[in-house]
Amino acid sequence: MTDLMDQKETTTVRPPGEPAAPAPPPTARTRRVPPAALSVAAFLVLLGAWWTSTATGWVDRIFLPGPDAVLARLADLSAGGELWEDLGVSVYRVGVGFALATLAALPLGILMGRFPLWAACVEPVVDFIRYMPVVAFVPLTILWAGTDDGQKFLIIVIGTFFQQVLLFTDNVRRTPRELVDVGRTLGLGHARILRRIVLRASAPALWDSLRVSLGWAWTWLVVAELVAATSGLGYRITLAQRYLSTETIIGYLLVLGLVGLVTDQLLRRAGRLLFRPAELRA
């Protein structure tokens, strides 16, 4: 009996009013590096490798200029206004083209994901077209819409619409079957189930698909501006290629990457605020 009592864990009762014992110091298992610090460190490593490869002469500066030369060139373009003019034109084209593609793809993807008849009729056609290379449509869009902004919008729509439709369809199909069955048990019709259950359950995934497809819109915009344009970031890259101005090319590539990173993080943050659980809002 004594042995059994010795094996039992003993607890210490703290008298009322006595302060709690200080928490133990963090150990290696509990101490974590903030994700933001890791992200900054990754960029610093890339920047250091870039600077080292150019400063030591491993790579000829004609092919890969150093960070100082690229930043100096961007400063000149910014002071002259070319950078902001090109950026504004490209942002406008992406915004309009992406909005047109999304407004068309979102309702179609929802209908295909919810109703098998829509999927049977439309999905094979979407699958057929989405495997066609968007670059091959560039000469056709020039014939159809000329070389103004309408042609850029058309390229963005072709490049993003069909991918978005399939993404939205898959998002809606992932709605838990149990939720739909509960709605039917409660006597809800198809429209109310779609509006009150399916759309609410799939909204976070739909938002993430929008965020991902925005990157495709930027890619296809630059493709369109590289071939037929008189302004924009892609046009400036093509112009710099003719004069072997690699500082401008790399600088504009960095601008594109920075714009994409900022917009992606803003959309990610907005999604967390819009679709976080209701109990976290209280």
Side-chain angles (χ1 to χ4, degrees), residues 49-114:
W50 178 16
W51 180 85
T52 302
S53 62
T54 56
T56 57
W58 291 351
V59 181
D60 195 321
R61 285 180 173 265
I62 296 179
F63 304 105
L64 182 63
D68 52 343
V70 173
L71 292 178
R73 180 56 180 163
L74 286 177
D76 293 339
L77 292 171
S78 176
E82 293 92 344
L83 175 60
W84 304 113
E85 180 181 355
D86 294 333
L87 182 60
V89 170
S90 294
V91 169
Y92 162 71
R93 290 169 176 167
V94 165
V96 175
F98 182 73
L100 293 175
T102 302
L103 289 175
L106 186 58
L108 184 58
I110 292 174
L111 291 175
M112 291 172 57
R114 183 69 186 93

Side-chain angles (χ1 to χ4, degrees), residues 213-243:
S213 59
L214 180 58
W216 301 337
W218 275 103
T219 300
W220 301 126
L221 168 73
V222 174
V223 169
E225 290 181 342
L226 286 173
V227 177
T230 57
S231 60
L233 298 175
Y235 165 75
R236 194 68 60 180
I237 291 175
T238 303
L239 195 63
Q241 178 189 6
R242 298 175 184 174
Y243 299 99

